[in-house]
Tab-separated table of all heavy atoms in Angstrom:
chain	number	residue	atom	x	y	z
A	16	CYS	N	79.410	125.102	85.183
A	16	CYS	CA	79.103	123.979	86.125
A	16	CYS	C	78.606	122.798	85.250
A	16	CYS	O	77.561	122.926	84.619
A	16	CYS	CB	78.049	124.463	87.123
A	16	CYS	SG	77.540	123.097	88.179
A	18	ARG	N	76.990	120.274	86.267
A	18	ARG	CA	75.690	119.966	86.619
A	18	ARG	C	74.618	120.847	85.989
A	18	ARG	O	73.479	120.406	85.810
A	18	ARG	CB	75.573	119.972	88.218
A	18	ARG	CG	76.348	118.863	88.853
A	18	ARG	CD	76.266	118.836	90.393
A	18	ARG	NE	77.026	117.686	90.792
A	18	ARG	CZ	77.160	117.468	92.137
A	18	ARG	NH1	76.637	118.302	93.012
A	18	ARG	NH2	77.799	116.396	92.487
A	19	LEU	N	75.044	122.093	85.832
A	19	LEU	CA	74.100	123.035	85.125
A	19	LEU	C	73.766	122.496	83.727
A	19	LEU	O	72.571	122.485	83.379
A	19	LEU	CB	74.743	124.413	85.029
A	19	LEU	CG	73.977	125.577	84.554
A	19	LEU	CD1	72.884	125.917	85.477
A	19	LEU	CD2	74.885	126.728	84.362
A	22	LEU	N	71.644	119.171	84.121
A	22	LEU	CA	70.239	119.407	84.558
A	22	LEU	C	69.435	120.024	83.486
A	22	LEU	O	68.267	119.698	83.198
A	22	LEU	CB	70.211	120.265	85.826
A	22	LEU	CG	70.655	119.614	87.140
A	22	LEU	CD1	70.885	120.568	88.220
A	22	LEU	CD2	69.511	118.701	87.522
A	251	GLU	N	80.204	118.820	90.498
A	251	GLU	CA	79.663	120.167	90.802
A	251	GLU	C	80.729	121.236	90.423
A	251	GLU	O	81.888	120.879	90.108
A	251	GLU	CB	79.372	120.301	92.286
A	251	GLU	CG	80.630	120.316	93.087
A	251	GLU	CD	80.217	120.212	94.521
A	251	GLU	OE1	79.146	120.544	94.941
A	251	GLU	OE2	81.087	119.841	95.375
A	252	THR	N	80.252	122.407	90.308
A	252	THR	CA	81.227	123.503	89.953
A	252	THR	C	82.280	123.800	90.966
A	252	THR	O	81.958	123.698	92.147
A	252	THR	CB	80.363	124.781	89.663
A	252	THR	OG1	81.265	125.848	89.303
A	252	THR	CG2	79.543	125.217	90.868
A	257	LEU	N	78.722	130.693	92.206
A	257	LEU	CA	77.742	130.752	91.178
A	257	LEU	C	76.356	130.189	91.635
A	257	LEU	O	75.318	130.581	91.126
A	257	LEU	CB	78.111	129.962	89.921
A	257	LEU	CG	79.326	130.505	89.146
A	257	LEU	CD1	79.695	129.554	88.053
A	257	LEU	CD2	79.029	131.869	88.574
A	258	CYS	N	76.387	129.352	92.607
A	258	CYS	CA	75.142	128.655	93.022
A	258	CYS	C	74.033	129.578	93.426
A	258	CYS	O	72.922	129.338	93.273
A	258	CYS	CB	75.443	127.642	94.101
A	258	CYS	SG	76.654	126.364	93.627
A	261	CYS	N	72.026	130.455	90.531
A	261	CYS	CA	71.875	129.367	89.480
A	261	CYS	C	70.372	129.232	89.121
A	261	CYS	O	69.522	129.170	89.996
A	261	CYS	CB	72.399	128.125	90.077
A	261	CYS	SG	72.133	126.680	88.982
A	263	VAL	N	68.891	126.584	88.140
A	263	VAL	CA	68.401	125.339	88.439
A	263	VAL	C	68.853	124.875	89.841
A	263	VAL	O	68.964	123.722	90.031
A	263	VAL	CB	68.810	124.250	87.336
A	263	VAL	CG1	68.126	124.512	86.082
A	263	VAL	CG2	70.279	124.230	87.181
A	264	ALA	N	68.967	125.828	90.717
A	264	ALA	CA	69.473	125.545	92.037
A	264	ALA	C	68.607	124.561	92.775
A	264	ALA	O	69.013	123.623	93.452
A	264	ALA	CB	69.704	126.784	92.845
A	267	CYS	N	68.932	121.165	91.365
A	267	CYS	CA	70.263	120.666	91.724
A	267	CYS	C	70.266	120.074	93.158
A	267	CYS	O	70.823	119.032	93.411
A	267	CYS	CB	71.312	121.839	91.600
A	267	CYS	SG	72.939	121.232	92.092
A	274	ARG	N	75.392	118.030	97.744
A	274	ARG	CA	75.985	119.305	97.318
A	274	ARG	C	76.631	119.978	98.541
A	274	ARG	O	76.043	120.053	99.549
A	274	ARG	CB	74.935	120.244	96.784
A	274	ARG	CG	75.421	121.519	96.319
A	274	ARG	CD	74.249	122.240	95.608
A	274	ARG	NE	73.491	123.022	96.662
A	274	ARG	CZ	73.744	124.261	96.960
A	274	ARG	NH1	74.581	124.954	96.357
A	274	ARG	NH2	72.991	124.803	97.906
B	1	LIG	S1	73.439	125.028	92.102
B	1	LIG	FE1	75.596	125.196	91.828
B	1	LIG	S2	76.332	123.033	91.650
B	1	LIG	FE2	74.095	123.026	91.310
B	1	LIG	S3	73.816	123.277	89.065
B	1	LIG	FE3	73.744	125.281	89.897
B	1	LIG	S4	75.815	126.130	89.779
B	1	LIG	FE4	75.893	123.881	89.550
Side-chain angles (χ1 to χ4, degrees):
C16 174
R18 289 182 179 175
L19 183 68
L22 285 167
E251 70 190 339
T252 178
L257 293 175
C258 299
C261 176
V263 291
C267 177
R274 183 177 83 97

